[in-house]
Amino acid sequence: MGLFRRGPKRDSRDLARDGEFSFFSEREGGLFRSQVRQAFAEQGLEVTAYAGVVTDSAGRQFGLGNLAAVCHRDRRGERSWPALIRDHVGKVLRTMDGPQPLEILSEDEIRACLYPRVVAQETLPASDSFRYGRAPAPGLREVLALDLPEAVQMLSEDSLTDLGDVAELRIRAMNNLRALPVEGHETVRRGDGSAFEVLLGDSFFTASRVLVLDELVERLMGTGLTPDGALVAMPFRHQLAFHRIHDARVIPALQAMAQFAAAGHEDAAGAISPRVFWWRRGVMTPLSEPDGNGLRVVADAEFQEMLERLVRRES
């Protein structure tokens, strides 16, 4: 999973765009939904396709956002769509129609595949199903999830009732997160001398490793964070970017990471946040905000004071 690869061949941005997924042209959107209907039909299920979901005769809804983003981003282009869609539909139906994990797994098996997952607040249901989750930063929520062979299942508050105390479950989940292998690590270096690190992986919990950032940095870099902490970004579930703050190069690094986060978040499957955050002792403060005209840095007085101190130290 490299950072910089030749993108897939796509329709020109000058063509009329799909009403739901603007990264598709109207033609691409129509082709995508047609192939989704065909994949469900191959599984013996007739569905009606709407802009962002399909529904079956029983009223079940299947969201299309993540699948559309996966197809859009696949570097092989449209030729890869049928296989991607068939695989996704098959997994969704097996997960929904098969026995539920909480009913068939032992307590030890459940705890072995339990992880904390950082998600965008807006992707969660409007109900109180996940009110137990912490808010590690504005717009984000940390929930507990099961990493299953064919799916990742986020656990609602009701589903946790019989599993035990939420605080104890989180401790186990965090230990599982710490034990994950590092799948990929790249350093992004800029012409202005700034640099930042990017962790990449197929795991749905790659970005969630921000919850143990201090330990992760020590493991990857061989040296820990200073009291000033780090810049972090979680564009989508498969990427975590960070820059250790130790000198004035944090200024160009912030600009570079703001562009990186906004670009990585756009059209991503499992999108989390387009922002850059200031991480200190587990607390994350937003530092950038995409707007209609690009990117806007929103550093607070405390961050500005730190920057001035670092600049003075080098002058």
Side-chain angles (χ1 to χ4, degrees):
M1 182 180 286
L3 283 174
F4 307 107
R5 297 182 299 192
R6 180 180 298 174
K9 183 178 180 180
R10 299 166 178 155
D11 284 350
S12 168
R13 296 292 298 187
D14 295 334
L15 296 177
R17 312 316 296 168
D18 183 81
E20 181 72 14
F21 306 120
S22 61
F23 47 77
F24 282 155
S25 67
E26 284 186 352
R27 182 197 67 82
E28 290 169 331
L31 175 64
F32 168 74
R33 293 181 184 88
S34 174
Q35 292 182 353
V36 169
R37 288 194 299 269
Q38 177 63 31
F40 275 101
E42 291 173 0
Q43 296 285 337
L45 197 61
E46 190 73 23
V47 297
T48 302
Y50 297 95
V53 300
V54 296
T55 63
D56 64 11
S57 58
R60 298 184 299 180
Q61 289 193 348
F62 306 87
L64 299 178
N66 278 345
L67 178 58
V70 167
C71 289
H72 169 67
R73 282 178 163 256
D74 194 285
R75 67 184 185 277
R76 296 167 296 176
E78 291 177 15
R79 63 188 176 89
S80 69
W81 292 8
L84 290 172
I85 293 170
R86 281 196 299 270
D87 181 64
H88 176 84
V89 168
K91 289 179 179 178
V92 166
L93 292 178
R94 285 192 296 273
T95 300
M96 294 187 69
D97 296 337
Q100 296 306 299
L102 294 180
E103 297 174 355
I104 62 173
L105 295 179
S106 69
E107 181 176 323
D108 286 345
E109 289 172 327
I110 289 173
R111 290 172 182 267
C113 62
L114 187 65
Y115 291 86
R117 184 176 178 189
V118 175
V119 298
Q121 174 70 47
E122 63 188 22
T123 64
L124 294 173
S127 65
D128 293 333
S129 301
F130 295 93
R131 62 184 176 183
Y132 71 87
R134 298 170 59 251
L140 304 181
R141 184 64 67 92
E142 175 201 326
V143 300
L144 294 175
L146 296 179
D147 189 16
L148 304 169
E150 289 196 325
V152 170
Q153 178 180 332
M154 293 191 296
L155 299 175
S156 66
E157 189 164 11
D158 289 342
S159 66
L160 294 173
T161 302
D162 296 328
L163 295 182
D165 179 71
V166 172
E168 293 180 0
L169 292 172
R170 182 176 185 269
I171 291 173
R172 178 57 185 265
M174 292 288 284
N175 288 336
N176 289 341
L177 185 68
R178 292 183 178 96
L180 283 176
V182 173
E183 297 180 65
H185 169 218
E186 299 184 19
T187 301
V188 178
R189 302 189 186 279
R190 309 280 292 194
D192 55 17
S194 65
F196 59 93
E197 312 299 321
V198 182
L199 195 71
L200 313 100
D202 292 329
S203 168
F204 276 44
F205 306 98
T206 301
S208 300
R209 298 176 79 152
V210 71
L211 300 173
V212 291
L213 184 72
D214 47 354
E215 300 170 43
L216 179 67
V217 169
E218 181 83 35
R219 177 178 172 184
L220 283 177
M221 312 301 293
T223 183
L225 297 173
T226 72
D228 290 327
L231 304 178
V232 297
M234 300 144 286
F236 62 106
R237 64 194 178 207
H238 301 295
Q239 278 189 356
L240 170 63
F242 66 88
H243 169 84
R244 294 177 296 163
I245 300 175
H246 53 86
D247 58 28
R249 282 178 292 184
V250 64
I251 299 174
L254 173 56
Q255 294 291 340
M257 286 183 63
Q259 296 172 359
F260 176 85
H265 179 266
E266 185 180 11
D267 309 339
I272 297 178
S273 177
R275 298 174 177 85
V276 177
F277 299 89
W278 183 17
W279 189 102
R280 285 181 303 165
R281 298 178 293 277
V283 177
M284 291 190 286
T285 305
L287 293 177
S288 69
E289 185 74 38
D291 59 31
N293 299 315
L295 296 165
R296 181 166 55 95
V297 174
V298 291
D300 62 12
E302 192 173 2
F303 187 79
Q304 186 64 38
E305 289 173 3
M306 181 199 68
L307 294 183
E308 292 172 359
R309 169 169 50 81
L310 292 175
V311 170
R312 285 197 305 269
R313 193 171 69 188
E314 296 185 6
S315 62

